[in-house]
Amino acid sequence: MTEYGRGPGSQPWHPEDPLYGDRAWDGAQQSSWDSYGGQQQPQEPYYPQQPQHPQHPQQPQEHQQTPYGNWDGSQGGTDQFYGAGVGDPYGQQPPPNPYGQQPDYYGTPDAYPPPRPQRQRTAEPGPDPDTGWDPGPDEGEHAFFADRDEDDDDDEPPTRGGRRSGRSRRGSVKRKSGCACMVVALVLTGGVGTGAYYGYTFYNSHFADAPDYAGQGTGEVHIEIPPESTVSQMGNILKREGVVKSHDAFVAAARNNTKAQTIQAGTYVLRKEMSAAAALTMMLDPASQSGLIIPEGMRASAIYKLIDEKTESPAGTTKKAAKSANLALPEWAGGKVEGFLFPAKYSVGKKTEPKAVLKEMVKRSKAEFKKVESDAKKVGLTPFEVLTVASLIQAEAQDDEDFGKVSRVVYNRLKPDNTATNGKLDFDSTINYALGRSTLDVTVNDTKLKSPYNTYRHPGLPPGPIGNPGHQAIDAALNPTKGDWLYFVTVKPGDTRFSVTLEEHNEHVREFNEEQRKKRENDG
């Protein structure tokens, strides 16, 4: 496309020519020479052809440069996009331009492409050889926080000399730069604070000592350690109850003490705010264990009183619970509690419910009596009868070697062919149980007591256990010592005499009576 009123020339165009690199409306670059050196024909404009008027004298153009060059990427002025020096196609005379620029002949609302506001900047000497743009003395490399989009503040039209009216651009940049600095400073401060927090946490968890109290603590607190508790679980319980300051402190103390693994389930009387080491030492001391110890052979009535005292419950509370509560007794118990309160150490504190203690005892007995259930047939008895025999052995035997012999006497007397006693056991312990006492002075009149537990009157075993036997008595009931003994008497502590005949037994009884006479004289 050539200029209106300008004939095609034969000389090549120079890049400094205002129309060099001019693009047509379809975006193709135009030149008066085709790509093979041939001259192109003038192209028709998209609007109807009008009579041409003489070309206005071309005004000298003032090359206006932007930081990014012209819209078409050339180095020309701001009006080159529309074709600098083109004539008035409609025969209109352009108004004089007071600033020496060419008029915009297509600056109408319907023109295409729409005009885009151009930033005007006076060219400075020393253009870049590649782009023709020199940033100038104050447009070079900015500080990082001063950089911003140039179009952010271009809402106001440029005035003469390229300056804007209204607020100061430099002041706006400073205010925005200050905000940016503040935001980044806050972000950096937050990052440093977060890093310091995680660093402190990492140090405490990996290198610093666990929080711990100092000293032996104060007051008194009952701590219940459930069965099969680990050291870590113990630490959590102690921390929750306020005994130690942290779980880790107790675990660390236990790691340094080889006896820590021997701590068993139970109730411990400790103090508030103790050091972890002091708490561990106290738990390893048997005196700190708030346990209820049930000795072998103790009767249920005596156990009820111990539980009431230990739990600080009103008298009779445990006895009522034994009658009304569901203790989960085995079926072969026949609803009887006696004999199923297994002798052992139980964890009992002030806040423990008596019913809970009874349930724990029955649970323990059921676990211990599995052998009774499996081996009872070997001795020709039921599990309940074996438990009854064990209770008799527990009440009558004094020394360890006596348990098996007493058991043999019971089985020998229960034999159908026993004509010496005719199936009667003749045990003083059964009369004492019926009378609710414990003594060696059983008179002839006591043997006439009307009670199913009086084995002097009733042959065979009593209706049930007369106490709560332990391991040794149960084992003796299942494994009696071989022998023919039908009689025995404890002449004095540690001296139990066993005999086969009644005559021998009566001689041992005379010696027993003599020992009792001496004892009364010494006591009187």
Side-chain angles (χ1 to χ4, degrees), residues 327-389:
L327 304 180
L329 291 163
E331 293 182 0
W332 52 270
K336 296 182 181 295
V337 179
E338 190 75 85
F340 293 90
L341 304 179
F342 193 82
K345 181 179 180 180
Y346 296 92
S347 176
V348 179
K350 296 178 180 179
K351 298 180 181 180
T352 307
E353 292 289 337
K355 180 175 65 175
V357 181
L358 294 175
K359 285 185 175 182
E360 184 63 27
M361 290 180 171
V362 172
K363 180 180 178 181
R364 176 71 179 273
S365 69
K366 290 168 67 175
E368 298 289 345
F369 294 163
K370 290 182 178 180
K371 188 175 182 180
V372 174
E373 296 175 347
S374 62
D375 295 352
K377 293 182 179 180
K378 295 180 180 180
V379 293
L381 300 177
T382 66
F384 188 73
E385 290 173 339
V386 170
L387 185 60
T388 302
V389 171

Side-chain angles (χ1 to χ4, degrees), residues 3 6 13-22 58-59 61 63 70 72 74-77 79-81 83-85:
E3 288 186 80
R6 179 175 179 179
W13 287 8
H14 192 274
E16 293 184 359
D17 191 298
L19 295 183
Y20 176 75
D22 192 18
Q58 251 187 342
Q59 299 293 332
Q61 294 188 11
H63 293 277
N70 295 325
D72 61 353
S74 66
Q75 305 298 323
D79 292 332
Q80 290 182 9
F81 182 86

Side-chain angles (χ1 to χ4, degrees), residues 46-314:
Y46 70 92
Y47 48 82
Q49 186 72 24
Q50 299 292 337
Q52 296 187 7
H53 296 275
Q55 171 72 21
H56 293 286
Q58 251 187 342
Q59 299 293 332
Q61 294 188 11
E62 179 180 341
H63 293 277
Q64 303 294 333
Q65 297 181 349
T66 65
Y68 307 104
N70 295 325
W71 293 108
D72 61 353
S74 66
Q75 305 298 323
T78 57
D79 292 332
Q80 290 182 9
F81 182 86
Y82 305 106
V86 70
D88 182 4
Y90 301 104
Q92 297 179 359
Q93 296 295 329
N97 190 337
Y99 302 108
Q101 297 179 345
Q102 292 294 328
D104 183 5
Y105 295 107
Y106 305 100
T108 63
D110 297 331
Y112 180 86
R116 178 170 178 178
Q118 300 289 323
R119 292 196 54 189
Q120 298 189 12
R121 186 185 303 275
T122 303
E124 299 291 343
D128 188 288
D130 296 331
T131 64
W133 170 58
D134 186 355
D138 59 347
E139 298 295 336
E141 296 182 358
H142 293 281
F144 175 78
F145 300 111
D147 196 8
R148 66 183 185 90
D149 190 352
E150 291 290 350
D151 293 335
D152 290 344
D153 295 330
D154 289 347
D155 296 336
E156 297 185 44
T159 60
R160 183 174 182 178
R163 298 185 179 272
R164 290 178 174 85
S165 61
R167 60 178 183 172
S168 170
R169 174 180 175 275
R170 188 175 300 275
S172 174
V173 172
K174 288 182 178 180
R175 285 192 295 271
K176 290 187 177 181
S177 298
C179 293
C181 290
M182 181 178 295
V183 171
V184 174
L186 291 175
V187 171
L188 292 176
T189 302
V192 172
T194 303
Y197 170 78
Y198 282 106
Y200 176 78
T201 304
F202 179 83
Y203 175 81
N204 283 338
S205 61
H206 290 77
F207 303 104
D209 294 334
D212 195 5
Y213 292 121
Q216 300 297 317
T218 58
E220 181 178 294
V221 58
H222 289 251
I223 303 298
E224 292 188 9
I225 302 299
E228 300 181 0
S229 295
T230 64
V231 171
S232 178
Q233 291 170 334
M234 293 180 190
N236 287 328
I237 295 173
L238 296 179
K239 180 181 181 299
R240 183 177 66 246
E241 297 296 332
V243 176
V244 298
K245 193 170 186 179
S246 68
H247 157 275
D248 293 348
F250 182 79
V251 172
R255 189 182 298 117
N256 297 327
N257 193 320
T258 56
K259 296 182 179 180
Q261 299 297 330
T262 64
I263 299 177
Q264 298 180 354
T267 301
Y268 295 84
V269 181
L270 304 177
R271 303 186 185 96
K272 289 281 189 178
E273 299 185 357
M274 304 179 68
S275 69
L280 181 65
T281 301
M282 198 167 185
M283 292 181 72
L284 292 173
D285 184 1
S288 68
Q289 299 183 16
S290 179
L292 176 65
I293 299 177
I294 304 299
E296 291 87 348
M298 180 174 279
R299 300 168 186 164
S301 57
I303 294 175
Y304 297 156
K305 292 180 181 179
L306 285 179
I307 295 175
D308 286 343
E309 294 173 359
K310 198 68 176 180
T311 60
E312 298 184 356
S313 301

Side-chain angles (χ1 to χ4, degrees), residues 37 168 178 285 287 307 328 356 366 394 408 427 433 480 485:
S168 170
D285 184 1
I307 295 175
K366 290 168 67 175
Q394 190 73 67
R408 174 52 62 187
F427 279 7
Y433 182 80
W485 309 289

